[in-house]
Amino acid sequence: MNNQNPITAIEAIDSIESTFHTENNLRRAHSTGVAFDAIFQPSGAAVPWTTAAHLQKTEVPAVVRFSHSSTNPNPNERLSPVKGMAVRFQLPNNTYTNLTMVNVPIFISKTPEAFIRLIQAFDSNSTWSQRIDALMHNTEYKTFGTILKELKPFRNFESLHYYSIHAYFLKNADLERQAVRFEWQPLTQNDDATSNSMENELIHKVQQGPPVRFRLLMQLAERGDATADPTIAWPDDRKLIEAGILTLHSLRTDNAESIVFDPTVTIKGIEYSDDPVLHFRSAAYNESAKRRGVIKA
C-alpha cells in the first residue's frame, strides 16, 4: 500500500482481514452483539436548532444494536474495552438516519490512514492489555490509550455512556447551523450494580423490566471547537441539550445483521462534518457489508 495516497475502503478492510481473525458472514469490526427494537420519544428541546424529523415532538421507532468492538466472535474477545451502540431512527417513506456511537469520547486517529497503520502494526495474537500498552508508548495515539486504560472493567452495555465521536451540523428553519456532538447517557435505573452477564441480563431486563432507557444529549460547539478532528474532545463546559429518551422494548431475532449503520446517513436538518474519518467510515461500512453479503458487490 502506498502511504502517500489516500487509503481506499478495499485496502482498509483487506488490512483488517489480514491482521485479525474475521468471519465471512460477520461485520469486519464490532462483529458480535445484540439488537433490539426501540422507541425514541423526542423532547422537543432540539427544535430551535434543527428541522430533523426524529428530533421534533413525535415518537419514532428505532433499531438499536450493542456490540463488542472486536472483529472476532470468540467469547474471549468480548473483553475488548470498546463497546458500540448503533441506532437507526426509522422515519416515514422508508427514510432513516443513523447514530453510531462508542463508549469513548474520541477516536484513536485523525485520519483513516493513521488508523490502518496502527492496525497493521498490531500482532493478531496480542492481548488487549498489550495493545493498550503499545498505544501508551506512541505519541500519535497516547491520548486514546490513556482513555482506554482508565475505562472501568466492562459489566454490561446498558450502564455505559456512548459518544458519537464525530461532529454534525444541525440546521433549523431559518437555515442557521449549529455544530453538535451526540451522546447516549444511560438512565440510572439501567444499572443495578450487580449485572455483569453482558447480553443475557440486558435481554432479561428488556423482556421482564425494569425498562432500559437512554437519554439523547446534544453537546453544542462554540467558536474554535474542532469539528473535523475526532481525536479532540470538546470542553466539558459546553452546553448540553436533552433531545429525547430511547426505550428498548423487544429483542430482534435477526440481530439487525442486515442493517448497515452508516454514520453519514443523515436527513434534512442534519449534515455531517468534514471529518475525514467520518467520511471514510461510509465507504468502509459498505465494503464490509458487501463482503458479508448484506448488499450486492
Side-chain angles (χ1 to χ4, degrees), residues 82-108:
V82 179
K83 307 300 176 183
M85 180 179 174
V87 178
R88 170 165 293 187
F89 300 91
Q90 299 177 303
L91 301 168
N93 302 316
N94 294 318
T95 60
Y96 58 87
T97 185
N98 302 321
L99 280 178
T100 306
M101 305 196 200
V102 290
N103 63 319
V104 288
I106 62 172
F107 193 60
I108 195 169

Side-chain angles (χ1 to χ4, degrees), residues 17-145:
E17 290 180 342
S18 64
T19 303
F20 301 113
H21 174 81
T22 60
E23 297 284 344
N24 288 340
N25 63 322
L26 298 178
R27 302 168 204 262
R28 296 315 191 257
H30 292 264
S31 64
T32 58
V34 61
F36 300 89
D37 286 318
I39 291 293
F40 178 69
Q41 180 60 62
S43 66
V47 172
W49 285 276
T50 181
T51 59
H54 64 301
L55 296 176
Q56 302 305 298
K57 296 182 179 180
T58 303
E59 72 174 27
V60 177
V63 178
V64 182
R65 182 179 186 265
F66 298 96
S67 60
H68 305 280
S69 60
S70 175
T71 66
N72 190 339
N74 185 315
N76 291 332
E77 288 295 317
R78 296 186 178 192
L79 298 175
S80 62
V82 179
K83 307 300 176 183
M85 180 179 174
V87 178
R88 170 165 293 187
F89 300 91
Q90 299 177 303
L91 301 168
N93 302 316
N94 294 318
T95 60
Y96 58 87
T97 185
N98 302 321
L99 280 178
T100 306
M101 305 196 200
V102 290
N103 63 319
V104 288
I106 62 172
F107 193 60
I108 195 169
S109 65
K110 296 182 180 182
T111 66
E113 291 76 19
F115 176 67
I116 295 302
R117 285 199 303 271
L118 178 64
I119 292 296
Q120 293 169 335
F122 276 147
D123 179 350
S124 61
N125 295 317
S126 62
T127 65
W128 276 101
S129 178
Q130 290 170 328
R131 294 170 190 173
I132 293 172
D133 186 63
L135 294 176
M136 295 291 292
H137 288 84
N138 186 315
T139 56
E140 187 173 12
Y141 309 111
K142 185 175 181 179
T143 300
F144 187 83

Side-chain angles (χ1 to χ4, degrees), residues 106-227:
I106 62 172
F107 193 60
I108 195 169
S109 65
K110 296 182 180 182
T111 66
E113 291 76 19
F115 176 67
I116 295 302
R117 285 199 303 271
L118 178 64
I119 292 296
Q120 293 169 335
F122 276 147
D123 179 350
S124 61
N125 295 317
S126 62
T127 65
W128 276 101
S129 178
Q130 290 170 328
R131 294 170 190 173
I132 293 172
D133 186 63
L135 294 176
M136 295 291 292
H137 288 84
N138 186 315
T139 56
E140 187 173 12
Y141 309 111
K142 185 175 181 179
T143 300
F144 187 83
T146 301
I147 290 174
L148 290 186
K149 198 173 184 68
E150 293 175 351
L151 287 178
K152 295 179 180 179
F154 174 70
R155 292 190 297 107
N156 54 55
F157 288 113
E158 63 269 28
S159 63
L160 296 177
H161 195 127
Y162 299 89
Y163 305 85
S164 66
I165 294 176
H166 309 290
Y168 293 81
F169 288 95
L170 303 182
K171 184 180 288 187
N172 64 15
D174 295 324
L175 305 183
E176 297 170 323
R177 297 170 83 236
Q178 169 67 51
V180 300
R181 282 177 174 168
F182 294 99
E183 303 175 18
W184 286 116
Q185 180 188 64
L187 270 63
T188 54
Q189 68 192 40
N190 289 5
D191 190 9
D192 59 14
T194 61
S195 171
N196 60 4
S197 59
M198 300 186 187
E199 292 93 332
N200 292 337
E201 182 65 20
L202 175 56
I203 292 170
H204 178 77
K205 286 180 181 178
V206 171
Q207 293 175 336
Q208 304 294 328
V212 176
R213 295 189 173 109
F214 289 84
R215 179 180 292 110
L216 181 62
L217 301 177
M218 305 188 317
Q219 185 185 31
L220 306 186
E222 295 183 8
R223 184 181 297 275
D225 290 341
T227 59

Side-chain angles (χ1 to χ4, degrees), residues 245-264:
I245 298 291
L246 180 77
T247 304
L248 309 184
H249 68 70
S250 60
L251 179 70
R252 286 184 66 98
T253 57
D254 66 356
N255 210 29
E257 293 299 340
S258 65
I259 295 179
V260 180
F261 292 95
D262 181 346
T264 68

